[in-house]
């Protein structure tokens, strides 16, 4: 038996491997095929029958696809160690906007999640370097090339050494989903993967919330 699934990069860094570990433990002989896709590639992946589902950070409207909520996440500001903001316990979006930013293209659906926090407040912001993936953004920040807004699932393992994460005071909640075709039923393997992935993501949110509360009490 084979389970073919895909994920956008932000969820694939940490969350998907954790869920796959649980699938492997439950189904040791299952062949698992994992693709990493940009959001715009996800529809073709599903419609062409390349796999059963895609873990995705943006909801699209399509008559043949179901988007089932996974978990809600928050955005964080990340800065290099030694940066003037690195000592801050929290930061506002307006303060972030005053600094040179490293970002994802705002026309990219994932990039739009990051850009929306500035757009909502009509804040001018200056993206001096654009990168395609969150991991690249973190590496650029580590090298002192700017600061960034990044989602917590990309940061789930604590990010990179040399990068400091700072909670934002503004509400930056965004929803993640799992997408699949609504004209065919999911395998038991895929259903177990979805349940496990949702649990891993929600557990990550709980532990992050506890850590944040400890920091705020200091």
């Amino acid at each position: 038996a084979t389970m073919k699934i895909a994920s956008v990069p932000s969820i694939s860094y940490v969350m998907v491997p954790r869920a796959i570990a649980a699938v492997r433990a439950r189904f040791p002989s299952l062949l698992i095929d994992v693709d990493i896709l940009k959001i715009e590639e996800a529809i073709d992946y599903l419609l062409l029958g390349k796999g059963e589902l895609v873990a995705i950070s943006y909801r699209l409207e399509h008559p043949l696809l179901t988007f089932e909520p996974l978990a809600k996440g928050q955005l964080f500001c990340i800065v290099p160690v030694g940066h003037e903001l690195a000592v801050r316990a929290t930061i506002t979006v307006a303060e972030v906007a005053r600094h040179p930013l490293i970002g994802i293209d705002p026309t990219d659906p994932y990039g739009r999640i990051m850009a929306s926090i500035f757009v909502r407040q009509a804040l001018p912001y200056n993206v001096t370097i654009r990168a395609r993936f969150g991991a690249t953004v973190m590496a650029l920040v580590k090298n002192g090339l700017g600061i960034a807004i990044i989602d917590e699932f990309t940061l789930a393992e604590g990010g990179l050494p040399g990068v400091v994460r700072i909670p934002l005071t503004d509400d930056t909640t965004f929803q993640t989903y799992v997408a699949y075709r609504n004209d065919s039923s999911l395998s038991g393997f895929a259903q177990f993967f979805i349940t496990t992935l949702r649990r891993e993501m929600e557990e990550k949110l709980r532990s992050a919330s506890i850590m944040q509360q400890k920091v705020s009490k200091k």
Side-chain angles (χ1 to χ4, degrees), residues 4-208:
K4 294 185 177 182
I5 58 168
S7 173
V8 295
S10 57
I11 303 173
S12 74
Y13 294 136
V14 180
M15 296 292 112
V16 166
R18 287 184 187 177
I20 287 175
V23 173
R24 167 61 71 234
R26 174 70 69 91
F27 306 107
S29 61
L30 178 68
L31 175 61
I32 302 170
D33 189 318
V34 187
D35 247 325
I36 309 303
L37 305 175
K38 293 283 285 176
I39 291 175
E40 58 270 25
E41 297 167 338
I43 290 180
D44 279 351
Y45 176 86
L46 293 169
L47 296 184
L48 295 173
K50 292 181 179 180
E52 287 194 76
L53 62 87
V54 180
I56 199 164
S57 52
Y58 199 78
R59 192 180 190 281
L60 307 162
E61 292 296 332
H62 195 285
L64 282 179
L65 301 182
T66 294
F67 284 78
E68 184 182 316
L70 268 178
K72 289 184 177 177
Q74 300 285 335
L75 301 178
F76 283 79
C77 175
I78 57 171
V79 305
V81 168
H83 191 277
E84 61 181 287
L85 297 175
V87 297
R88 296 287 297 276
T90 59
I91 191 170
T92 67
V93 170
E95 288 175 293
V96 173
R98 296 187 198 121
H99 294 263
L101 294 170
I102 298 164
I104 313 284
D105 185 339
T107 61
D108 176 291
Y110 176 60
R112 204 173 301 145
I113 294 170
M114 317 302 161
S116 67
I117 66 170
F118 303 111
V119 174
R120 280 201 299 267
Q121 297 185 35
L123 289 166
Y125 64 102
N126 183 24
V127 175
T128 57
I129 302 176
R130 283 182 182 175
R132 196 171 181 194
F133 301 117
T136 310
V137 169
M138 286 199 295
L140 291 165
V141 169
K142 179 184 177 180
N143 281 279
L145 295 166
I147 70 172
I149 298 293
I150 205 82
D151 71 283
E152 66 181 298
F153 299 119
T154 299
L155 289 166
E157 294 283 72
L160 282 175
V163 173
V164 177
R165 59 190 278 170
I166 309 169
L168 292 151
T169 56
D170 313 62
D171 178 25
T172 60
T173 304
F174 68 97
Q175 179 72 56
T176 61
Y177 302 89
V178 61
Y180 49 86
R181 288 179 66 133
N182 53 31
D183 59 350
S184 59
S185 55
L186 290 171
S187 68
F189 308 124
Q191 290 171 353
F192 181 74
F193 172 79
I194 292 171
T195 302
T196 307
L197 180 61
R198 182 180 289 113
R199 188 179 67 234
E200 288 289 347
M201 293 176 81
E202 289 174 346
E203 181 58 37
K204 164 71 192 79
L205 301 179
R206 276 194 295 274
S207 60

